[in-house]
Amino acid sequence: MKLSRNAIAIACAVGVMGMTGAAFAAVPLYRMFCQVTGFDGTVRKAEKAPDHMLDETVLIRFDTNVRDLPMTFRAEQVSQRVRIGETGMAYFDVTNTSDQPIHATASYNVVPERAGPYFQKLQCFCFEGQTIQPGETLKFPVQYFVAPEMATDRESRGVREITLSYTFYPTRPAELASNAGQAARQPSGAAG
């Protein structure tokens, strides 16, 4: 069976387009996979908090980083001790120290990685594009809990300390989520 040159060209073009589409879809699909499974220390998003708490506690440490941005980013608290299953709330302050608007997104992870599936957030500013005006200070809340199942998982039951680490990195305005991050942010000094 002999294929025509046009059929081969079409098959190659379809293959290139398929590979290009897969390359663009790889990052969001990987991010979604990590958020669903907790793979690689990625924090999972939960719909509701657990209905029971354990007597065991875990120390949550907060780490903040900025990559290539003229801004300050800090946790209002260095750490919090919470009972496993208890809902915790932490606040982070971001200040644009430049005279231009900053367009940024925060990514996150937890250490040790084996705690990733159990450290779950109910509310977070992560992966939502933010626009921070010159000189503006914003307060971002994170509501979280450590799932009670961590205490019975043989790989993670000895975890007594978890570090939640955020990194803000620059994004273009077109990459910002359509006002998704604007609803969650509060100016500094606002009731929270």
Side-chain angles (χ1 to χ4, degrees):
M1 178 175 182
K2 194 173 192 181
L3 294 174
S4 72
R5 288 183 180 167
N6 288 341
I8 292 172
I10 290 171
C12 288
V14 168
V16 167
M17 289 185 340
M19 288 187 282
T20 302
F24 279 106
V27 171
L29 290 175
Y30 179 74
R31 181 181 298 153
M32 185 171 56
F33 169 77
C34 289
Q35 287 177 329
V36 168
T37 64
F39 180 74
D40 200 24
T42 301
V43 179
R44 297 171 71 178
K45 179 157 174 60
E47 297 300 318
K48 66 178 193 131
D51 54 4
H52 69 285
M53 290 183 277
L54 305 180
D55 289 332
E56 296 178 55
T57 63
V58 64
L59 182 68
I60 309 299
R61 294 189 182 278
F62 302 101
D63 175 55
T64 57
N65 304 283
V66 176
R67 191 178 81 201
D68 302 327
L69 289 167
M71 65 189 288
T72 60
F73 177 37
R74 70 172 191 82
E76 289 187 358
Q77 57 289 306
V78 174
S79 62
Q80 293 178 339
R81 182 162 298 279
V82 295
R83 290 173 55 192
I84 294 177
E86 175 185 10
T87 300
M89 180 72 87
Y91 292 93
F92 296 81
D93 295 327
V94 176
T95 301
N96 179 345
T97 59
S98 76
D99 60 356
Q100 300 291 318
I102 292 176
H103 306 287
T105 302
S107 62
Y108 58 87
N109 69 339
V110 298
V111 176
E113 291 179 6
R114 65 185 186 268
Y118 303 106
F119 192 97
Q120 299 185 18
K121 58 187 175 62
L122 295 163
Q123 176 186 359
C124 185
F125 58 92
C126 357
F127 292 127
E128 296 175 350
Q130 309 292 337
T131 299
I132 307 159
Q133 298 303 321
E136 183 177 31
T137 296
L138 298 175
K139 181 181 299 230
F140 294 106
V142 174
Q143 189 176 30
Y144 67 92
F145 63 89
V146 177
E149 294 80 14
M150 185 176 91
T152 58
D153 181 330
R154 66 186 171 121
E155 297 220 7
S156 62
R157 68 176 159 225
V159 172
R160 295 290 174 249
E161 190 174 298
I162 297 173
T163 301
L164 176 61
S165 181
Y166 286 99
T167 301
F168 259 108
Y169 58 91
T171 52
R172 293 186 301 258
E175 294 173 351
L176 295 175
S178 60
N179 296 329
Q182 304 302 321
R185 65 185 216 174
Q186 297 178 335
S188 182

